[in-house]
Amino acid sequence: GLQLVIQTSSITDKSKPFEFRINKEQSSYHNRLLQHDLEKNYSGRQDNTNFGSSSSITFPVLQRTAEEKLLNSDRLTLERQKLTVCPIIDGEDHLRLLNFQHNFITRIQNISNLQHLVFLDLYDNQIEEISGLSTLRSLRVLLLGKNRIKKISNLENLKNLDVLDLHGNQITKIENIGHLSELRVLNLARNLLTIVENLNGLDSLTELNLRHNQVSKDVDTLPRLQRLFLSFNNISSFEDILCLADSSSLSDITLDGNPIAQETWYKHTVVHHMMQLRQLDMKRITEEERRMASVAARKEEERKRESHKQTLLKEKKRLTICNIARQWEIQQNRIALVASLNQDKDNEPCQINGSAAYVFPEESRSLDTILSSAVQGLSVLESHLVEVEGDTLCLYGAGALECLDRNWSVQTAGIIVAVSFMFIEFDEIVQVLTKLKIKFPNFVHLKFKETNLVMLQQFNALAQMHRIEQLTVDPQGNPVVNFTLWKYYVLFRLNHFHLQRINGVKVTENDIVMAERLFGILAYVASSELPQYRMLSLLGESRRKQFHYLLEGKGKKSGTGSEESSDNRRNGGESTTRATLNYTTKDFHMEKLEEIKERKTFCQTYVENLVKEAADINMKNESLQKLWPQMFIELVRDAVIEIRNKNSYMKLCLQRITDQKQ
């Protein structure tokens, strides 16, 4: 980033002095290394230098002719001399520029006397440690690129350093440079850096080169940084360099060769967030590109907001489902505990103070107390969830069944093909099955998960549906799936639906034949053994004519029911024998039990009253039988006495008749 200007006088014009200066104006080719400028200015020119040796020392001694000293008084170039050590430079204390490029030097030494040195070039050597520079307080440019340096050190006294080039080394950490407040250019390209750190104090730094490292994040800003080269690193996210957007001085940046540069939004995002940039990846940014970046950024922001919204919705859905699942688990534990307590109540009674009591373990408490701790852990979330995923209506929790009563739009209702029930008791689902076809005309697929399907009889309830083509019963929470023959029973009981798939497996003709063989006799026995009044109570009005038809002897047997089958096809429904295989929900069963109990109580009271009345009549009859002989004697005696005087008796009778007429 510095323009090196060197002026020398020719040999014929010795009156002009040698002039060396560093111009701090920006170069139009700031990305070129300083040593390249040096090579350009001094290509093909080297000092005529002789190395002498002394028996008392082990280093070569530099000797220059008077003419050469006069020509290049403050500059010494020793590049490509195959040097392995720095020679002793005696009598050259006035040197300001020293060039050791392209040698084999392993250690910096023998230059501590050059206290006026401003420019030191040790590019392309074999130096492993920075040392021997503590006395060079005037040094402004230090070029140590392409060496074997592993650590930045021993720069404490170089407070006037303006350019530091350490590219092509083995440095793993930026350190020990915070005191270089005058440093403007720092080149750390092609090292082993992973983190950009310890740059505090470099208040004058305008150019930082970190190409070809392993930097992935945490690129800090500097107050005067203008050019930052980060090509070919591991930066994969814009958030890793987002802090650079706050830098008002940054004008040029390169990010090509990073994973982030492969993204389609890369250029638009960088240009939009770093409005101060003039160049990106060494290409000038136009106003059109800025405008397009602004438009793309707005679209990206909208996409992110929508994505964030969807993420929040998904998280809310996940938490709600987890909450429903926990409530379902608590409910199942409550049911299991009640069943266990009832069983213990029946098996282990004891008497305390004349009243029935039961012995529980010490840890046993009331039901509400046992489950309260679990309920307290539930967050205040929805206890049910209704969601339409594609063509599937998903219902989570018993409260979701209420959605079937809402007014669905024609478009939404028309796309629903499958209905999935999760964490809902099957008995509660049975009550709404008839609503599905009314609400969703294209519905053909039922799904059950965690619905307590525990027995084959429950599948009988599905017969009230109008049409089902697919049935999916998840093993989770549905123990009935563990029965070997459950699929065959479903095929037999729901034969009139012509199921195509069960749990994703296609139904074959062999499956239907096997189902008929296994369960055909069951329907025949059920229909033939039931009393007629019971049969009529089970069948709907549409089936009673079929039942009467069977009673007349037309196709009564299941095995010879061709007429029955054709009749069923004409009516488009299930067979009468299969209709006898129905399912009664627990609540309905309990209601029936209550009704039966009430009828039993009424009948018992009625019979008791009849018995009591009959007993009273019998007692009266027995009393009459005992008193009748005496009563009969008294009746005969009174009659004989009255008719003994015939005339008087007749007058008495006429008098009674007269009295009655009056």
Side-chain angles (χ1 to χ4, degrees):
L2 297 177
Q3 184 179 5
L4 186 61
V5 183
I6 301 177
Q7 297 180 356
T8 59
S9 60
S10 62
I11 297 177
T12 56
D13 189 6
K14 296 182 180 180
S15 61
K16 294 182 179 180
F18 173 84
E19 180 182 358
F20 170 82
R21 71 177 185 272
I22 296 177
N23 185 2
K24 293 188 177 182
E25 295 178 359
Q26 295 182 3
S27 171
S28 59
Y29 303 98
H30 55 77
N31 57 314
R32 296 169 56 187
L33 298 178
L34 293 177
Q35 60 267 28
H36 293 173
D37 294 330
L38 186 64
E39 291 176 1
K40 180 178 179 181
N41 290 328
Y42 294 98
S43 59
R45 298 179 56 187
Q46 294 185 359
D47 294 320
N48 296 326
T49 306
N50 295 323
F51 294 99
S53 61
S54 173
S55 60
S56 61
I57 58 175
T58 59
F59 297 98
V61 178
L62 176 67
Q63 295 179 353
R64 289 201 300 174
T65 63
E67 183 180 358
E68 184 62 28
K69 286 183 179 181
L70 182 62
L71 179 63
N72 300 312
S73 60
D74 58 357
R75 177 185 64 80
L76 178 59
T77 300
L78 297 174
E79 61 178 277
R80 303 184 190 277
Q81 297 295 323
K82 300 182 180 180
L83 297 174
T84 58
V85 295
C86 295
I88 297 176
I89 303 175
D90 197 12
E92 301 276 359
D93 296 346
H94 59 282
L95 280 180
R96 301 185 68 191
L97 186 151
L98 182 58
N99 183 1
F100 284 115
Q101 282 190 23
H102 307 294
N103 284 289
F104 304 99
I105 298 172
T106 59
R107 185 178 179 185
I108 305 173
Q109 52 192 350
N110 299 326
I111 60 172
S112 58
N113 59 317
L114 307 178
Q115 297 184 8
H116 297 285
L117 198 64
V118 175
F119 189 104
L120 176 59
D121 189 352
L122 286 162
Y123 173 76
D124 191 19
N125 280 277
Q126 299 179 9
I127 299 170
E128 297 182 356
E129 182 183 7
I130 302 175
S131 61
L133 304 175
S134 59
T135 61
L136 307 183
R137 300 180 183 274
S138 299
L139 194 64
R140 302 290 301 278
V141 179
L142 177 59
L143 307 180
L144 291 171
K146 203 175 179 181
N147 279 280
R148 301 177 181 177
I149 300 171
K150 297 181 179 179
K151 182 178 181 181
I152 303 175
S153 60
N154 300 318
L155 300 176
E156 290 78 9
N157 295 331
L158 306 184
K159 297 183 179 180
N160 294 320
L161 203 61
D162 190 80
V163 177
L164 177 59
D165 182 9
L166 293 169
H167 84 278
N169 284 283
Q170 303 171 20
I171 299 171
T172 59
K173 183 179 181 181
I174 302 176
E175 55 186 338
N176 302 320
I177 59 173
H179 62 285
L180 303 177
S181 59
E182 298 295 324
L183 189 67
R184 293 193 308 114
V185 178
L186 176 60
N187 188 354
L188 291 169
R190 296 186 183 277
N191 278 282
L192 304 176
L193 299 174
T194 58
I195 300 177
V196 182
E197 57 183 347
N198 300 324
L199 296 180
N200 295 331
L202 303 183
D203 297 335
S204 300
L205 194 67
T206 60
E207 180 176 314
L208 177 60
N209 191 344
L210 295 170
R211 288 189 178 101
H212 294 280
N213 277 281
Q214 301 172 17
V215 176
S216 60
K217 58 181 179 178
D218 298 333
V219 181
D220 295 331
T221 58
L222 293 164
R224 295 187 181 180
L225 189 65
Q226 299 177 10
R227 294 172 294 279
L228 177 60
F229 306 108
L230 288 168
S231 305
F232 301 99
N233 279 279
N234 293 329
I235 299 173
S236 58
S237 173
F238 183 73
E239 283 70 21
D240 297 333
I241 57 171
L242 186 59
C243 58
L244 297 175
D246 299 329
S247 175
S248 59
S249 60
L250 189 64
S251 61
D252 299 348
I253 188 172
T254 64
L255 294 166
D256 54 302
N258 284 277
I260 189 178
Q262 305 299 321
E263 301 291 344
T264 56
W265 46 261
Y266 156 66
K267 187 172 183 178
H268 290 156
T269 302
V270 173
V271 173
H272 175 72
H273 286 87
M274 300 183 183
M275 300 297 294
Q276 74 278 17
L277 288 183
R278 294 185 303 177
Q279 290 192 140
L280 174 62
D281 296 336
M282 307 304 295
K283 295 180 181 179
R284 183 175 174 274
I285 300 173
T286 65
E287 290 301 321
E288 179 64 18
E289 288 175 333
R290 294 185 190 277
R291 187 187 65 80
M292 294 177 61
S294 179
V295 173
R298 284 197 298 269
K299 292 182 179 179
E300 181 65 19
E301 190 66 25
E302 292 175 1
R303 187 194 65 80
K304 287 184 177 180
R305 282 199 298 267
E306 183 63 25
S307 176
H308 181 65
K309 180 180 178 181
Q310 294 300 323
T311 301
L312 292 178
L313 289 176
K314 288 180 180 179
E315 182 63 15
K316 182 179 179 181
K317 172 186 173 182
R318 186 188 67 82
L319 293 175
T320 302
I321 293 176
C322 290
N323 185 52
I324 295 170
R326 286 195 295 268
Q327 290 182 352
W328 170 262
E329 184 177 357
I330 291 173
Q331 178 184 351
Q332 299 308 304
N333 291 339
R334 184 189 296 270
I335 294 173
L337 185 57
V338 169
S340 176
L341 295 178
N342 289 338
Q343 184 177 2
D344 293 341
K345 183 177 179 180
D346 294 335
N347 295 335
E348 300 179 4
C350 63
Q351 293 291 327
I352 299 178
N353 296 330
S355 61
Y358 303 89
V359 180
F360 296 96
E362 288 185 1
E363 62 272 19
S364 297
R365 295 164 287 175
S366 67
L367 200 57
D368 293 336
T369 305
I370 294 174
L371 299 173
S372 61
S373 59
V375 175
Q376 289 174 358
L378 297 178
S379 57
V380 182
L381 294 170
E382 295 290 341
S383 59
H384 65 274
L385 176 66
V386 180
E387 184 180 34
V388 178
E389 293 184 356
D391 60 356
T392 302
L393 174 64
C394 300
L395 305 177
Y396 300 85
L401 298 176
E402 297 177 0
C403 77
L404 298 177
D405 294 325
R406 71 172 63 164
N407 294 325
W408 291 80
S409 66
V410 176
Q411 182 179 1
T412 303
I415 65 174
I416 301 299
V417 175
V419 178
S420 176
F421 298 96
M422 283 165 277
F423 307 109
I424 309 174
E425 282 287 348
F426 183 79
D427 285 358
E428 297 182 26
I429 298 173
V430 170
Q431 301 174 19
V432 300
L433 288 178
T434 54
K435 299 179 182 179
L436 295 179
K437 193 61 181 179
I438 300 174
K439 293 290 185 179
F440 312 109
N442 298 323
F443 154 74
V444 293
H445 188 182
L446 270 178
K447 298 180 181 180
F448 297 98
K449 181 179 179 180
E450 292 284 2
T451 56
N452 265 349
L453 271 167
V454 297
M455 54 185 176
L456 297 178
Q457 186 183 4
Q458 290 173 296
F459 289 115
N460 297 338
L462 302 182
Q464 62 183 300
M465 303 293 297
H466 291 180
R467 184 179 66 163
I468 302 177
E469 293 181 0
Q470 295 188 57
L471 178 65
T472 302
V473 182
D474 195 293
Q476 187 175 347
N478 296 306
V480 71
V481 179
N482 297 325
F483 297 165
T484 306
L485 303 178
W486 77 273
K487 290 184 180 180
Y488 293 111
Y489 183 80
V490 170
L491 285 175
F492 169 76
R493 184 62 186 87
L494 307 179
N495 178 266
H496 58 291
F497 288 149
H498 304 292
L499 286 172
Q500 298 178 6
R501 291 181 179 273
I502 297 179
N503 277 14
V505 180
K506 186 176 181 181
V507 176
T508 64
E509 289 294 333
N510 292 335
D511 294 333
I512 298 175
V513 172
M514 179 61 70
E516 189 66 29
R517 289 179 179 176
L518 289 172
F519 297 102
I521 191 66
L522 175 65
Y524 170 71
V525 171
S527 61
S528 61
E529 293 299 324
L530 282 177
Q532 181 177 353
Y533 76 93
R534 180 59 176 158
M535 179 73 75
L536 292 175
S537 66
L538 291 175
L539 301 178
E541 195 67 36
S542 62
R543 294 286 179 262
R544 291 177 183 173
K545 292 182 179 180
Q546 293 180 337
F547 179 67
H548 288 300
Y549 181 79
L550 288 175
L551 292 181
E552 293 174 3
K554 298 179 180 180
K556 186 172 183 178
K557 292 187 178 180
S558 173
T560 60
S562 59
E563 295 91 346
E564 177 190 357
S565 298
S566 61
D567 183 60
N568 291 335
R569 285 193 293 270
R570 286 193 300 271
N571 287 277
E574 61 183 333
S575 67
T576 306
T577 54
R578 286 183 174 85
T580 59
L581 301 174
N582 64 347
Y583 172 66
T584 303
T585 63
K586 295 179 181 178
D587 293 339
F588 185 75
H589 182 66
M590 294 301 295
E591 292 177 2
K592 285 292 183 182
L593 289 179
E594 289 294 330
E595 184 180 349
I596 292 173
K597 185 177 181 181
E598 291 177 1
R599 290 182 179 180
K600 183 178 179 180
T601 303
F602 172 77
C603 292
Q604 186 175 358
T605 304
Y606 182 72
V607 171
E608 288 177 353
N609 292 335
L610 289 178
V611 170
K612 183 178 180 181
E613 186 176 350
D616 292 342
I617 293 173
N618 185 56
M619 290 178 62
K620 291 179 181 179
N621 185 44
E622 291 179 354
S623 300
L624 180 61
Q625 293 297 330
K626 293 179 181 179
L627 297 174
W628 177 248
Q630 184 62 31
M631 292 173 62
F632 181 75
I633 294 172
E634 292 179 358
L635 288 174
V636 172
R637 186 190 62 187
D638 292 342
V640 171
I641 293 173
E642 286 181 356
I643 65 174
R644 184 174 54 185
N645 187 349
K646 187 176 181 180
N647 292 330
S648 299
Y649 178 71
M650 291 178 66
K651 287 180 181 181
L652 179 62
C653 289
L654 289 173
Q655 185 63 37
R656 289 177 181 173
I657 294 172
T658 301
D659 294 339
Q660 289 179 358
K661 287 182 178 182
Q662 292 177 353

